[in-house]
Amino acid sequence: MAHKYVYLFNEGNANMREVLGGKGANLCEMTNLGMPVPQGFIVSTEACTRYYEDGKKLSQDIIDEIDEYLGKIEEINGKKFADPEKPLLVSVRSGARASMPGMMDTILNLGINDEVAAALIKGNPDPKFERFVYDSYRRFVQMFSDVVMGISKKQFEVIIDEIKEKKGVKNDIDLDVNDMKELVVRFKAYYKEQLGTDFPTDPHDQMLESVKAVFRSWDNERAQIYRMRNDIPSSWGTAVTVMPMVFGNLNNKSGTGVAFTRNPSTGEKAIYGEYLINAQGEDVVAGVRTPSKISELEREMPEVYAQFIKTAKKLENHYKDMQDMEFTIEDGKLYMLQCRNGKRTASAALRIALDLVDERKITKEEAVCRVEPKQLDALLHPTFDAAALKKAKVVAQGLAASPGAACGRVVFTAAESEEWAARGEKVILVRLETSPDDIKGMVTAQGILTVRGGMTSHAAVVARGMGTCCVSGCGDIVMHADKKYFTIGDLRFNEGDYISLDGSTGNVYGEAIPTAPATISGDFKKFMEWADAARGDFMVRTNADNPRDTAQAVKFGAQGIGLCRTEHMFFEGDRIMAIREMIVSDTVEQRKKALAKILPLQQGDFEEMYRVLEGRPMTVRYLDPPLHEFIPKTEAEKDALAKDMGITVEKIDDICVKLEESNPMMGHRGCRLCVTFPEIAEMQTTAVINAAINVNAEHPEYNIVPEIMIPLVGSVKELKFVKDIVTATADKIIADKGVALKYKVGTMIEIPRAAITADEIAQEAEFFSFGTNDLTQMTFGFSRDDAGKFLGSYYENKIYDFDPFAKLDQEGVGKLVKMAADLGKKTRPDIHLGICGEHGGDPSSVEFCYNAGLNYVSCSPFRVPIARLAAAQAAIKAKK
Amino acid sequence: MAHKYVYLFNEGNANMREVLGGKGANLCEMTNLGMPVPQGFIVSTEACTRYYEDGKKLSQDIIDEIDEYLGKIEEINGKKFADPEKPLLVSVRSGARASMPGMMDTILNLGINDEVAAALIKGNPDPKFERFVYDSYRRFVQMFSDVVMGISKKQFEVIIDEIKEKKGVKNDIDLDVNDMKELVVRFKAYYKEQLGTDFPTDPHDQMLESVKAVFRSWDNERAQIYRMRNDIPSSWGTAVTVMPMVFGNLNNKSGTGVAFTRNPSTGEKAIYGEYLINAQGEDVVAGVRTPSKISELEREMPEVYAQFIKTAKKLENHYKDMQDMEFTIEDGKLYMLQCRNGKRTASAALRIALDLVDERKITKEEAVCRVEPKQLDALLHPTFDAAALKKAKVVAQGLAASPGAACGRVVFTAAESEEWAARGEKVILVRLETSPDDIKGMVTAQGILTVRGGMTSHAAVVARGMGTCCVSGCGDIVMHADKKYFTIGDLRFNEGDYISLDGSTGNVYGEAIPTAPATISGDFKKFMEWADAARGDFMVRTNADNPRDTAQAVKFGAQGIGLCRTEHMFFEGDRIMAIREMIVSDTVEQRKKALAKILPLQQGDFEEMYRVLEGRPMTVRYLDPPLHEFIPKTEAEKDALAKDMGITVEKIDDICVKLEESNPMMGHRGCRLCVTFPEIAEMQTTAVINAAINVNAEHPEYNIVPEIMIPLVGSVKELKFVKDIVTATADKIIADKGVALKYKVGTMIEIPRAAITADEIAQEAEFFSFGTNDLTQMTFGFSRDDAGKFLGSYYENKIYDFDPFAKLDQEGVGKLVKMAADLGKKTRPDIHLGICGEHGGDPSSVEFCYNAGLNYVSCSPFRVPIARLAAAQAAIKAKK
């Protein structure tokens, strides 16, 4: 038997969305529920995949099957294509597995031609209807030419304008039936002029071309971008739904509308929506007439309203979720055209989930699964005013480095940011890239925009820690910071000009867009408690390097620190000087002198963080920086350093040259620093162990067990070498102080070789933390800082469906993670496993970590709630 | 039962070298063969390992066992330690599994003290013997103090000099017995002064300290360096051989000597060696008296000679290999003190192997295993005069980038190299780093020395291709090329000064050392034929990028090209301009224009190479360069390029800045270039396919099937994207020309992700070639160019035993290679597998590749014979 590619609405159900698309599957479900749905058919997503496999061709078997099903719906509806008596008109819509609203164009009134138009008018002699028929006709010609055949819309608008001018009218509505007829003729003529063939009058031809157009649209640029942003694989394909037209504009007993079973903005339990009498769907969208609130339908058409409310309730109860419905009333009869789980704001999602539990419609665990983890961002960060955002224009795009919305005036230096903020201005700090010296100015800015640097650049890391909006690596910007302006293409932005940033999309807007502050309601707490209960003993920690970020993360529910990047502790204040001094040290003596300056600062930081953590664990990663991040760059910095170290600037220059590396990411960093300079590991161990002993003395109940993490390990001998330094130093301090402190030594797994030899490494490591940022770089063999030059082409050509630095590449990097987790457990069954790369805050990656048998994820403070929710959902899913 | 750590000579045999060390195992074997060996015991290598595990302590059970065995040998020899009548004296020697000649010190005459000395003299009243006894005594004190207790030798020499001065004599030999007695007293006094304790008189104490000293010596610097250079794992440990002393200096019926069963320099079949009458081994070494040829012993002691010759023959027949023997004659009685397979020169190794086959002592396959593959280097490249080399001083060390010996006068530019060479001077070209512009000067130099750059730098790659000696990355050099000198520490070398380079060790000598040219004899051809027969269908290809290197490789037996680096084809002549133009192109038009210039050049090169190959296969790798290697650097280069492209230098500068990458090794290179600029793949495909068609037309018998290799692939979709461009281009040309050309498309496996997902990649790839240079970089997460900064510390601290870029890291990188090979075969059972990294010419790596199921290795032309031999040995080993 040939493969089945086409389905009637009564041949499917809601569970078949993979094959029928979401729209098609729900139409089937409504049909099965006995709801009034115009009966059509669905060309499956498999036909779409086949279309692409066949080199963008519709194979004859699919064409034959479509024709067969056309026959079936003609029979069911008692109408026939091109029939002079009862002609059938249909709509052709796309419908993918996941909702991709507005991604693909719809074709309405397919089946119309001169004869059909005449036949329609015969059935309804109202002159308004005649105008409507020809209006529909000319719209179909226009839409088919544009959407299906790719003729630009522009000339059609020109033709309309010519006719309006000739008649001396302003609006389309003022054109009469004859004008419409003229438009049909002129549109068809233009079509022939453009394509050299007559406009197709045979509805079958119109149909096949339209199906192909929908399939093609799966791959248009809008769709590609939407898929990438929403993690939808390009392999899914779209289905095509073909449905008989019903006319909301047939007469005053007709109408069309859209409604939600609950308020999608607030979650309030009340039907919410609007409709227009004597109108088609596009009239609602066009906004020429103002629609009425759905409640008014009760007054206008009480029976229809009652039927609609009953249907809506039945749908919500059936799907156990808020529904978004489209309906049309034709001559007093209600037709349901679409239903789906309604999109909603984050706060609405929370409220609806909680209410549905109260109403005993869903369980708490089901409620936990009803909120997209990423949506929580909107609760934790400022958001743009939705209406204003719609009108705003994106002028550039960078990396979505730290979520939230920000609006403010452009400043170019950290000092200006501080000054302007001090006098009450909201500012956006725009920099080529930020450095530790910029910290104060970053704190006072609403948002940070950088030209260079990736998702782990200084700007990105610091901004995420603070929860400040940041767009990084916006290469479209050409900076003229010295002259206090920057350009994007032809646009010029001066100091003081307003811009807005969306840190969740990377969009940059060249204007002010009002923002609303973050709002966490009581719903949030209750909801997250349910999530935590479902999550079980899978933990969520945070990446934090200072007491401020730590406190924030604890407030958001972090159960400890999974990654304290010790070098970041020196981003603030004058500390950078000491770390620079250490890095440029040429002799052991110089280095020890610098380390002696660092020790009390670092120990103090650890103590403060241990206090904030109140007994929660903290994994301290030893010095890791690719050195170039800390080398003094400006003359002033070099002067200061030379003075401080009592050497010449020339000497500093010499040393900096010696420190230069061809590939710093793969250079002298991580534990390699401790192998060459063991005194660094000694100092850091002293700081951690002393801090733990001191805070334990203040608060014995904390019972701190320091977790010391050696970064960038590639072989067990390397780890053992550094670990030996750590244990010798720690054991001596512990013995000297006569305390009974326990501590653990573990490693990052971020070098492919470490993952491959994890069984050996586990002989020395008490825990693994997967550093998936570096692991992704090394596994793919490209540096995040450089990948911008070619990743665009990779997305365009569908080589990658997503950014592997944002979402874990489960087939490649994930295979290494799984391998390392398994090998590690083989050697040390109780080994503690976590992840501390950016991926720790990405929902799909959290799910992967849960399933790979890890014990925890760690992410930046503002992503902690997202990780908690994602982990809870993973746990619930795994239970099933 | 407790573990056995000590063995009598009759408790072991030659197969136990892992436990007993080479020396100990052979003493056991000689004992078993009934040869005259002084009967002692061996403390095993396992005791050494245990010593290190116990934190460099000798555990009580081992001490007890040693004491027990001391008792046993006292009984066997009828002598007792510290016995006033028949005192036992012993030697204590190290002996590892592999011979490490001269690595560790030996202690002779252990057991001596005042009473023992007196007892010895009692047994031989000859006054010369009395002097000998006290000479031995003072030597023992000196040796024990130095070797065992670590007191510097220097002061002992001072004391000797003082006594000589007092007596007015010049040589040690002129000191009489009383002087010797005084030396013993003064040496012991100095010992006490240094250590605060009396010199140990108890032979048991002397013994245990000596055993520990031998174990310690396993880890001294000399030993570490030797192990690293010879691939000996530090985990093996050394055994200790304790053997009763026999005295070659007892009287004129005594003597000592060293002999080989065949000539170790030439391989000639004749006993070869020398001896001294009335002397100890160290007298032979000291060179005070001239030893006699071994043949003269026949005249002096015919019976002993006959016994020795019989023993020597028996040993050679027993071991079926040339033996290196030490013997001593005590009062007319022959003692064998050591035997082992003798070290020999490369040409001797060949001759001996061939002769042993002629003598029907070994099979051809055994003969093939008798030559170390690395030894062949000495036949293929010039070598230093051995005597001169011994006296020469190493002034710096770099990377052993291309083997061979070179001697010449320093020049600093390629132009000078050409000029000087033209007037008959031999020159060494010394550069910060070389660039394509230097080619002509590199060809005319004897050797190349660079300050920067690793084993895959331009200098290294080009030099290996030409077989020219090269030391790269010699960071000790401070260049002042503009002033025509360089310094190494305090040493200054001016233009015209002589230096010498050893490209096999990386040593730089600050003087002229005579070299002998490469010599390939007829033996070589015969031997390699045997090797090739043993090798079977495992192939050896070469890495070659031009017709010259290809011809050389074919002469050396290469069976095709495994890697043609297309970008290297442009290192020569003016071609670099075209490739620069392509790289800095800002628009598709500019790029296509540059590519159009490159096409005929590239096609011509391919044609010429196909002709040289005469039908042998060639794998063409598409453009791969990290762009920075080709960016114009000097103003002159930029000027020329700007002029050529008709744009300003400022524009060139701008583009160069845009091309800069943070981590070029992980940047926009390899197939990423073809994804962003498909026109590159189109041009290269056109060049390859046209070339194959043209040369097939000239020589239909060649039947060329081009192998096109896409580099740096990380995912199957990426490969598919580029492959689609290749096949579209190739199929069109083939169709247009109406020929029936077949071609293959495959990929490098050099990105960890490619190895991990090799099953997917094999869906598109018809062959894999493992690019183990990059794969090693990515797997270890360090860049070869930067690793120099820390790898030294890694070797010192025994974290790495060898350079993973020279010898494949089988535990890490090798695991990925094996995984990829297995996954690839799972998808495509007939997939063709090879390796083209540097490791393709390293014997242990070749063996790994053979066992991993690869089909071939590919290496630089001058390593082809090494790879052929290594592969043959691997095949023979695998058969067993």
Side-chain angles (χ1 to χ4, degrees), chain A residues 658 660 662-666 672 718 721 751 753 756 779-783 786 789 794 797 809 815, chain B residues 658 660 662-666 672 718 751 753 756 779-783 786 789 794 797 809 815:
Chain A
K658 261 177 73 178
E660 268 174 20
S662 309
N663 299 283
M665 197 54 68
M666 306 176 82
R672 295 162 196 165
E718 189 178 24
F721 180 84
I751 295 283
R753 198 179 186 284
I756 301 166
T779 304
F780 275 91
F782 52 66
S783 127
D786 301 310
K789 287 187 181 150
Y794 275 68
N797 293 308
D809 158 47
K815 210 165 152 185
Chain B
K658 261 176 76 179
E660 268 174 23
S662 308
N663 300 283
M665 199 53 68
M666 306 175 80
R672 295 161 196 166
E718 190 178 23
I751 295 283
R753 197 178 187 285
I756 300 166
T779 305
F780 275 90
F782 52 64
S783 124
D786 301 310
K789 286 186 181 151
Y794 275 68
N797 293 307
D809 158 47
K815 211 165 150 182

Side-chain angles (χ1 to χ4, degrees), chain B residues 417-716:
Chain B
S417 171
E418 284 187 75
E419 274 171 44
W420 288 49
R423 60 174 195 256
E425 296 280 358
K426 300 201 161 182
V427 300
I428 305 283
L429 178 60
V430 184
R431 301 281 288 160
L432 213 52
E433 56 198 340
T434 65
S435 79
D437 300 324
D438 294 330
I439 280 284
K440 283 186 193 163
M442 293 170 77
V443 171
T444 50
Q446 300 297 306
I448 297 151
L449 172 61
T450 72
V451 181
R452 297 195 199 129
M455 296 288 291
T456 46
S457 62
H458 175 262
V461 168
V462 173
R464 277 197 299 276
M466 302 189 301
T468 300
C469 166
C470 174
V471 172
S472 69
C474 185
D476 298 339
I477 291 178
V478 179
M479 280 290 267
H480 302 274
D482 48 339
K483 293 173 189 146
K484 304 216 169 186
Y485 73 94
F486 68 85
T487 59
I488 298 173
D490 297 335
L491 300 172
R492 174 177 167 138
F493 295 88
N494 298 310
E495 183 182 69
D497 287 352
Y498 273 99
I499 62 171
S500 301
L501 306 179
D502 186 338
S504 310
T505 61
N507 284 344
V508 179
Y509 301 88
E511 63 203 272
I513 311 175
T515 60
T519 45
I520 295 190
S521 68
D523 287 351
F524 181 75
K525 194 166 167 284
K526 193 167 169 189
F527 178 82
M528 292 306 292
E529 279 168 10
W530 293 352
D532 288 346
R535 177 158 55 95
D537 57 4
F538 186 85
M539 309 291 264
V540 175
R541 294 193 184 186
T542 192
N543 300 350
D545 320 315
N546 57 53
R548 182 190 63 225
D549 291 358
T550 307
Q552 180 65 66
V554 167
K555 228 163 72 185
F556 282 148
Q559 296 166 291
I561 290 181
L563 177 64
C564 169
R565 290 154 291 205
T566 49
E567 64 275 10
H568 286 190
M569 306 180 97
F570 296 93
F571 276 164
E572 301 199 23
D574 302 329
R575 302 169 169 207
I576 185 72
M577 186 67 86
I579 206 163
R580 277 193 187 134
E581 199 176 316
M582 192 269 293
I583 283 173
V584 306
S585 288
D586 212 12
T587 64
V588 177
E589 290 66 39
Q590 281 177 341
R591 197 172 311 108
K592 287 199 166 164
K593 202 177 134 209
L595 287 167
K597 287 188 198 170
I598 296 173
L599 175 61
L601 300 172
Q602 183 135 72
Q603 182 176 324
D605 282 337
F606 289 143
E607 286 172 1
E608 196 48 38
M609 288 171 78
Y610 276 133
R611 286 187 195 107
V612 173
L613 285 168
E614 297 179 328
R616 294 178 186 84
M618 168 161 75
T619 305
V620 173
R621 180 183 71 182
Y622 278 15
L623 214 61
D624 181 58
L627 298 179
H628 72 288
E629 285 182 14
F630 292 88
I631 290 173
K633 284 171 188 103
T634 67
E635 289 311 310
E637 286 169 358
K638 286 178 186 171
D639 276 351
L641 190 60
K643 212 171 135 192
D644 196 61
M645 295 182 71
I647 57 179
T648 64
V649 174
E650 289 68 38
K651 180 78 187 162
I652 296 277
D653 274 331
D654 280 357
I655 294 171
C656 289
V657 168
K658 261 176 76 179
L659 285 175
E660 268 174 23
E661 299 192 287
S662 308
N663 300 283
M665 199 53 68
M666 306 175 80
H668 191 189
R669 51 177 288 233
C671 66
R672 295 161 196 166
L673 293 168
C674 293
V675 172
T676 48
F677 311 130
E679 51 277 13
I680 295 177
E682 286 165 12
M683 182 283 285
Q684 295 207 284
T685 304
T686 307
V688 178
I689 298 295
N690 276 343
I693 291 173
N694 290 349
V695 179
N696 270 341
E698 291 167 22
H699 298 278
E701 73 279 15
Y702 288 175
N703 192 21
I704 297 166
V705 177
E707 299 175 1
I708 290 168
M709 179 154 73
I710 314 300
L712 219 73
V713 160
S715 89
V716 65

